[in-house]
C-alpha cells in the first residue's frame, strides 16, 4: 500500500519532469526559429496586432482604474499617518514596478493566450499543422516563432501605455477628489520615479509576454482529441501563463530589488 | 520503362504505445501509377501516408522515393523530398485564417518565393482547373460548401505541380455526385501532371475510379495487391468481404461485448 503511494508520487514527479523538459525544448526550438530565416513578417505583424493593438482597450481600462483605486486606498491608509504626500510616489512605484506589468500580463494572458491556444489547437486537430509541413513550411517557424517574438515586443509597449494611464488614474483621483495640487502631484511623481522602476517593469513585461505566447503556442500545438482537447488546451494555456507570470514576477523582483 | 519504383516501402513498422499500427508494410508504387490503398477504419492507412510524408517517424523499415531512403536523409534533404509531394487531407485542412487564393498559393509562396500578385494569378488558374471560378479565390474557407472545400484542397495539392500526390479519403462526407466529380478531377489532375499517386479510401466506387493498382491493408500489413480492375472480384476472402461489405468472413470487427 505504501509502495503504491511512493510509486504514484514517483510517476507524478517523472511526468512533471518530462513535461517541463518538453516545454523547455519547445521554447528553445521556437526561439531559435526567431533568428533563422525564412521570416514570416505577415504572421509577425498579425500577432503584433492581436497581442498589442487589440489588447489596448482592456489593458488601458485596467490601468486607469487600478491607478484610481490605488490613489483612493493609499489616501485612506496614509492619511492616518499624515503622509498623504506619499500618494504620488506610492502610485507611480506600484504601477511601474508591479501593477502595470502584472495586470497587463494577466489581462493579455486571458485574452491572447486563450485565443492563441484555441487557434493553434484547432489547426492541430484539423490537420492544418500537418498541411503546413506538406507545403514546405515549418509550423514552428510559421506559427510559433512570430508569436513568441510578438509577445516579447508587444507587452512592453502595452506596459508603457499602462504605466502612463495608471499614473493618470491616480492623478485624476488625487486632484479631483482628494484635493491635491496638480503641479505638486506631478512633481512628486517625477521626483520619485526612477529609471530602474520603469526599466524593471518593462523587462518583466517582456518576460511575461514571452511566457503568454509560449504557453498559448505550446498548449495549442500539443492539443489533441478534437473540441474537448482544444478547450482543455485553452484552459491550460491561461492557467499556466497566469501562474507563471506571478511566479516570475517574484523571481524578477528578487533579481532587481532584493538587497 | 523504369524498374525503380517511385515509392518503395519495406518492413515499415509503427506503434503508438502498445498498439501496433503498421506491422512490416511492404509496398511498391511505380512511376505514373495511381495506387489505391483500401482498408477498414483503424487499419493504419492514414499512418502509412503520414510515414511516407515524414509527418510520423516509423519505428523500423525503409521508405524510398526514387530509390533514395528518405528516413536516412538529413532534414534539408527530407524537406526537399517532401516538397515534391502534394497532399489532399481528409477534411481539406484549409487554413481558416487565409482567403482561398492564399490557401491555394501557399506552397508556391513558401517554396518559390514568387510575388504575391503572380501567386494570386496562378491560384486563380489552378482554381479553374478544379472547376472553380476565380472569384472564389477571394472567399474564406468557412464560406465554402464541403465539395468546394475539397476542390480548393485539391487545387492546393496540385498548385506546385508535385511529382507525387496523396489523397486521404478524398470523397468522405460528399454526396455521390460530388464524390464522382472529385474523383474525376483527381484522375484528370494526376494524368495532366504525370504524377504518381496514392489514395486511401474505403469508398469502393471511388477506389475503382481513381486507381490503376489497389492494395488492401489489414492489421498493419498489406494483405493483397493487384490491378484495381479486379478489386470487386479479387478471389481474396478478406478483400471480397471488405469490398462487398459482408459481415461474415475472415475479418472480424473488434466489438466490445
Amino acid at each position: 500500500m505504501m509502495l503504491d503511494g511512493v510509486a504514484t508520487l514517483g510517476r507524478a514527479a517523472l511526468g512533471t519532469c518530462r513535461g517541463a523538459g518538453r516545454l523547455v525544448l519547445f521554447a528553445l526550438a521556437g526561439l531559435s526559429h526567431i533568428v533563422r530565416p525564412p521570416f514570416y513578417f505577415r504572421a509577425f505583424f498579425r500577432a503584433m496586432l492581436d497581442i498589442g493593438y487589440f489588447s489596448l482597450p482592456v489593458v488601458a481600462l485596467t490601468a486607469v482604474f487600478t491607478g484610481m483605486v490605488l490613489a483612493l486606498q493609499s489616501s485612506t491608509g496614509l492619511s492616518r499617518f499624515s503622509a498623504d504626500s506619499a500618494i504620488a510616489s506610492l502610485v507611480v512605484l506600484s504601477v511601474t514596478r508591479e501593477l502595470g506589468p502584472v495586470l497587463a500580463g494577466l489581462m493579455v494572458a486571458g485574452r491572447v493566450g486563450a485565443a492563441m491556444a484555441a487557434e493553434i489547437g484547432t489547426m492541430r486537430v484539423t490537420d492544418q499543422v500537418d498541411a503546413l509541413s506538406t507545403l514546405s513550411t515549418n509550423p514552428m517557424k510559421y506559427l510559433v516563432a512570430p508569436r513568441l517574438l510578438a509577445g516579447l515586443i508587444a507587452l512592453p509597449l502595452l506596459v508603457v501605455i499602462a504605466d502612463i494611464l495608471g499614473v493618470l488614474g491616480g492623478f485624476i483621483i488625487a486632484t479631483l477628489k482628494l484635493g491635491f495640487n496638480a503641479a505638486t502631484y506631478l512633481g512628486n511623481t517625477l521626483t520619485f520615479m526612477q529609471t530602474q522602476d520603469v526599466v524593471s517593469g518593462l523587462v518583466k513585461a517582456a518576460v511575461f509576454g514571452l511566457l503568454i505566447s509560449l504557453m498559448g503556442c505550446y498548449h495549442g500545438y500539443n492539443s489533441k482529441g478534437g473540441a474537448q482537447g482544444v478547450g482543455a488546451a485553452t484552459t491550460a494555456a491561461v492557467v499556466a501563463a497566469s501562474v507563471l507570470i506571478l511566479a516570475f514576477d517574484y523571481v524578477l523582483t528578487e533579481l532587481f530589488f532584493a538587497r | 520503362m523504369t524498374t525503380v519504383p517511385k515509392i518503395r516501402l519495406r518492413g515499415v513498422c509503427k506503434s503508438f504505445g502498445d498498439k501496433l499500427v503498421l506491422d512490416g508494410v511492404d509496398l511498391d508504387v511505380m512511376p505514373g501509377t495511381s495506387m489505391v490503398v483500401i482498408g477498414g477504419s483503424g487499419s493504419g492507412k492514414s499512418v502509412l501516408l503520414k510515414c511516407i510524408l515524414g509527418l510520423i517517424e516509423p519505428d523500423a523499415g525503409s521508405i524510398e522515393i526514387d530509390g533514395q531512403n528518405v528516413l536516412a536523409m538529413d532534414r534539408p534533404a527530407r524537406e526537399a523530398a517532401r516538397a515534391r509531394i502534394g497532399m489532399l487531407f481528409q477534411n481539406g485542412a484549409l487554413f481558416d485564417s487565409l482567403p482561398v487564393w492564399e490557401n491555394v498559393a501557399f506552397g508556391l509562396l513558401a517554396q518559390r518565393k514568387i510575388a504575391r500578385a503572380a501567386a494570386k494569378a496562378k491560384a486563380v488558374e489552378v482554381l479553374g482547373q478544379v472547376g472553380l471560378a476565380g472569384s472564389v479565390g477571394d472567399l474564406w474557407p468557412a464560406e465554402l460548401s464541403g465539395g468546394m472545400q475539397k476542390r480548393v484542397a485539391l487545387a492546393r495539392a496540385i498548385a506546385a505541380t508535385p511529382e507525387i500526390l496523396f489523397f486521404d479519403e478524398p470523397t468522405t462526407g460528399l454526396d455521390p455526385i460530388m464524390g464522382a466529380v472529385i474523383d474525376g478531377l483527381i484522375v484528370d489532375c494526376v494524368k495532366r501532371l504525370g504524377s504518381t499517386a496514392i489514395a486511401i479510401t474505403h469508398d469502393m466506387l471511388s477506389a475503382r475510379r481513381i486507381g490503376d493498382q489497389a492494395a488492401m491493408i489489414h492489421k498493419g500489413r498489406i494483405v493483397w495487391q493487384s490491378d484495381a480492375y479486379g478489386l470487386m472480384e479479387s478471389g481474396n476472402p478478406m478483400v471480397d468481404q471488405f469490398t462487398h461489405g459482408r459481415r461474415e468472413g475472415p475479418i472480424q470487427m473488434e466489438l466490445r461485448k
Side-chain angles (χ1 to χ4, degrees):
Chain A
M1 193 70 178
M2 191 180 151
L3 281 178
D4 284 350
V6 173
T8 306
L9 208 62
R11 272 195 293 274
L14 286 175
T16 305
C17 290
R18 250 198 313 272
R22 270 200 295 266
L23 176 61
V24 169
L25 289 176
F26 183 89
L28 291 176
L31 289 170
S32 76
H33 283 297
I34 290 176
V35 291
R36 285 188 288 156
F39 305 112
Y40 293 97
F41 293 107
R42 295 176 77 86
F44 168 70
F45 287 124
R46 203 191 125 202
M48 282 292 287
L49 272 183
D50 281 344
I51 300 171
Y53 183 71
F54 292 121
S55 298
L56 205 47
V58 71
V59 169
L61 286 172
T62 307
V64 169
F65 287 123
T66 302
M68 292 166 81
V69 169
L70 205 55
L72 266 184
Q73 290 284 25
S74 52
S75 161
T76 312
L78 294 173
S79 61
R80 291 175 194 164
F81 307 102
S82 303
D84 293 28
S85 58
I87 290 175
S89 62
L90 196 144
V91 169
V92 74
L93 288 184
S94 304
V95 167
T96 54
R97 284 186 177 193
E98 285 300 325
L99 296 175
V102 171
L103 291 179
L106 291 175
M107 287 294 150
V108 174
R111 209 191 76 79
V112 178
M116 254 183 221
E119 184 180 355
I120 298 177
T122 304
M123 289 184 75
R124 166 62 76 192
V125 300
T126 56
D127 287 335
Q128 291 179 52
V129 174
D130 284 347
L132 280 174
S133 300
T134 67
L135 293 165
S136 308
T137 303
N138 185 330
M140 289 294 288
K141 210 175 265 299
Y142 182 75
L143 294 175
V144 178
R147 285 171 168 84
L148 293 184
L149 184 60
L152 197 67
I153 295 171
L155 208 67
L157 296 177
L158 278 175
V159 166
V160 169
I161 295 166
D163 285 352
I164 294 167
L165 292 177
V167 171
L168 179 69
F171 173 81
I172 289 168
I173 292 298
T175 52
L176 298 183
K177 188 172 171 64
L178 304 176
F180 276 76
N181 175 276
T184 310
Y185 186 90
L186 281 180
N188 281 345
T189 299
L190 293 173
T191 305
F192 284 105
M193 186 176 70
Q194 292 183 347
T195 308
Q196 193 196 6
D197 302 324
V198 179
V199 170
S200 69
L202 296 183
V203 172
K204 282 182 179 181
V207 173
F208 298 164
L210 184 67
L211 288 171
I212 292 164
S213 294
L214 180 62
M215 289 301 112
C217 291
Y218 176 76
H219 288 285
Y221 202 84
N222 292 295
S223 67
K224 50 186 126 182
Q228 193 181 15
V230 176
T234 306
T235 307
V238 175
V239 171
S242 304
V243 171
L244 284 175
I245 283 171
L246 297 173
F248 271 78
D249 183 42
Y250 170 73
V251 172
L252 292 170
T253 304
E254 277 280 355
L255 283 176
F256 277 113
F257 300 108
R259 308 238 180 257
Chain B
M1 191 175 165
T2 178
T3 53
V4 178
K6 189 73 178 175
I7 301 167
R8 166 175 275 186
L9 278 69
R10 286 292 176 269
V12 175
C13 295
K14 181 66 192 175
S15 299
F16 295 101
D18 57 358
K19 182 171 170 50
L20 184 62
V21 179
L22 298 180
D23 184 15
V25 171
D26 297 332
L27 188 68
D28 288 342
V29 185
M30 301 307 288
T33 305
S34 257
M35 166 69 73
V36 174
V37 180
I38 61 168
S41 303
S43 58
K45 302 189 298 295
S46 294
V47 174
L48 181 68
L49 278 195
K50 287 185 176 179
C51 282
I52 302 172
L53 270 168
L55 299 175
I56 293 176
E57 193 74 16
D59 299 330
S62 68
I63 296 172
E64 294 177 11
I65 295 178
D66 288 330
Q68 305 280 311
N69 185 1
V70 291
L71 300 179
M73 290 175 179
D74 58 13
R75 184 186 282 253
R78 284 181 86 163
E79 285 176 1
R82 191 185 289 162
R84 294 157 59 196
I85 304 174
M87 171 88 180
L88 170 64
F89 285 86
Q90 185 173 352
N91 56 13
L94 298 176
F95 305 127
D96 308 317
S97 56
L98 300 177
V100 165
W101 79 263
E102 222 169 316
N103 266 280
V104 175
F106 196 95
L108 293 171
L109 288 165
Q111 279 176 37
R112 297 181 183 174
K113 308 292 176 194
I114 61 173
R116 287 176 68 80
K120 187 169 185 180
K122 176 70 179 171
V124 169
E125 180 194 326
V126 181
L127 283 170
Q129 290 172 11
V130 297
L132 292 173
S135 58
V136 173
D138 292 321
L139 299 177
W140 296 89
E143 296 177 283
L144 305 178
S145 68
M148 286 172 86
Q149 287 189 9
K150 272 273 160 69
R151 289 203 229 183
V152 172
L154 178 60
R156 186 175 69 180
I158 64 171
T161 58
E163 296 168 34
I164 299 168
L165 278 163
F166 290 163
F167 305 104
D168 186 357
E169 308 276 8
T171 57
T172 296
L174 300 179
D175 66 69
I177 297 172
M178 185 51 74
V181 169
I182 295 293
D183 286 342
L185 288 170
I186 286 173
V187 171
D188 289 348
C189 292
V190 170
K191 280 189 181 155
R192 188 171 56 248
L193 299 175
S195 306
T196 305
I198 299 181
I200 59 174
T201 183
H202 35 221
D203 177 347
M204 290 307 109
L205 211 54
S206 176
R208 280 182 293 160
R209 283 194 291 240
I210 296 173
D212 306 320
Q213 293 273 309
M216 178 163 174
I217 189 168
H218 179 62
K219 291 192 174 173
R221 299 183 74 94
I222 300 290
V223 293
W224 174 84
Q225 184 174 349
S226 185
D227 290 341
Y229 306 111
L231 194 57
M232 299 307 285
E233 293 88 24
S234 69
N236 180 306
M238 277 191 192
V239 179
D240 286 346
Q241 182 193 354
F242 187 80
T243 55
H244 293 95
R246 297 187 193 117
R247 275 180 64 189
E248 304 302 326
I251 302 173
Q252 296 297 313
M253 286 293 156
E254 289 173 12
L255 298 175
R256 197 169 286 170
K257 297 273 167 75

